[in-house]
Amino acid sequence: DAGVIQSPRHEVTEMGQEVTLRCKPISGHNSLFWYRQTMMRGLELLIYFNNNVPIDDSGMPEDRFSAKMPNASFSTLKIQPSEPRDSAVYFCASSPGTGGKAFFGQGTRLTVV
Amino acid sequence: GENVEQHPSTLSVQEGDSAVIKCTYSDSASNYFPWYKQELGKGPQLIIDIRSNVGEKKDQRIAVTLNKTAKHFSLHITETQPEDSAVYFCAAGRGGGGADGLTFGKGTHLIIQP
């Protein structure tokens, strides 16, 4: 299995631009999570989906952030407009569901200048 | 919500010695406690986990203990090797697994001195 696949690996954008991060979960997994990692705040859960349905988005910092999961094999995290304080590494993880273990992708390093 | 505290933030040990990392959690409903290892430029990798119906679990040089009453759990690495150098994260969650999301500790930077 290729594991959780995220793209792009690195993204540099200017403040005010729209940014879209992409994730392909492990086939057969029905839970998907988006995390953000910074030095100050560590790993924070932003949102998670079960069977493509958003269950808890309480970790999404602002309305500028949105996430979708149109099907079982694809999810996006969008930031519009982006700000310098959004600079972080964003991880996607997937799990086979209740009782299952969560597996992380390699992350997308986002830099907003 | 859940709050996970992890100590120490940095741990330096001689190669061959043991390393212990400790975490506490606040939500008594948490029942799943995984440990992740993160190497530079990579995503966190699950190395061992324990559920609340078990007090201890071992996998070769790695062991985890859980004290539900005190709400703390620990990672023990014996006979440390240079490749053990990394950042280690503890986490806590409900629902018996990753399905409900995890709350992570701030991480421990483990340095193995040759």
Side-chain angles (χ1 to χ4, degrees):
Chain A
D1 197 320
V4 176
I5 299 173
Q6 292 186 245
S7 64
R9 289 295 312 276
H10 302 274
E11 177 80 39
V12 180
T13 191
E14 291 185 347
M15 182 174 61
Q17 295 299 305
E18 177 180 296
V19 175
T20 299
L21 312 181
R22 296 173 176 79
C23 175
K24 176 178 167 52
I26 294 172
S27 178
H29 284 193
N30 57 13
S31 296
L32 183 140
F33 312 86
W34 283 100
Y35 287 87
R36 178 172 67 176
Q37 186 175 38
T38 60
M39 288 295 293
M40 291 297 296
R41 302 175 67 90
L43 271 162
E44 304 173 278
L45 178 65
L46 300 178
I47 185 172
Y48 74 92
F49 297 81
N50 280 346
N51 296 315
N52 312 339
V53 177
I55 302 301
D56 184 356
D57 65 354
S58 60
M60 296 286 260
E62 297 173 36
D63 290 345
R64 299 183 296 106
F65 286 69
S66 63
K68 293 183 179 180
M69 191 165 186
N71 58 62
S73 59
F74 184 66
S75 177
T76 58
L77 178 67
K78 185 177 294 185
I79 308 173
Q80 165 64 18
S82 57
E83 297 182 4
R85 60 194 167 116
D86 301 331
S87 297
V89 181
Y90 291 80
F91 287 103
C92 176
S94 72
S95 168
T98 301
K101 304 166 192 268
F103 296 89
F104 282 74
Q106 296 281 49
T108 295
R109 180 174 295 278
L110 173 65
T111 304
V112 183
V113 298
Chain B
E2 176 64 275
N3 182 47
V4 177
E5 299 284 342
Q6 181 172 349
H7 299 281
S9 57
T10 302
L11 177 61
S12 181
V13 301
Q14 290 292 321
E15 181 179 350
D17 288 350
S18 295
V20 180
I21 302 170
K22 298 181 179 182
C23 289
T24 60
Y25 62 99
S26 61
D27 188 352
S28 57
S30 289
N31 55 16
Y32 176 65
F33 307 93
W35 287 87
Y36 285 83
K37 175 183 180 182
Q38 187 176 27
E39 297 174 324
L40 197 62
K42 296 185 178 181
Q45 180 185 11
L46 178 68
I47 56 172
I48 194 168
D49 58 5
I50 191 168
R51 300 185 189 277
S52 58
N53 58 346
V54 175
E56 184 174 356
K57 184 176 178 180
K58 191 173 181 180
D59 182 5
Q60 299 183 331
R61 297 187 296 109
I62 295 174
V64 58
T65 59
L66 171 65
N67 183 327
K68 285 175 54 179
T69 303
K71 295 197 188 71
H72 65 71
F73 55 114
S74 301
L75 177 71
H76 304 251
I77 305 174
T78 59
E79 301 173 18
T80 53
Q81 300 170 4
E83 55 264 37
D84 295 330
S85 293
V87 180
Y88 291 79
F89 292 93
C90 62
R94 298 189 192 184
D100 291 340
L102 297 167
T103 302
F104 282 83
K106 289 290 172 60
T108 296
H109 187 191
L110 177 62
I111 301 166
I112 307 301
Q113 303 279 5

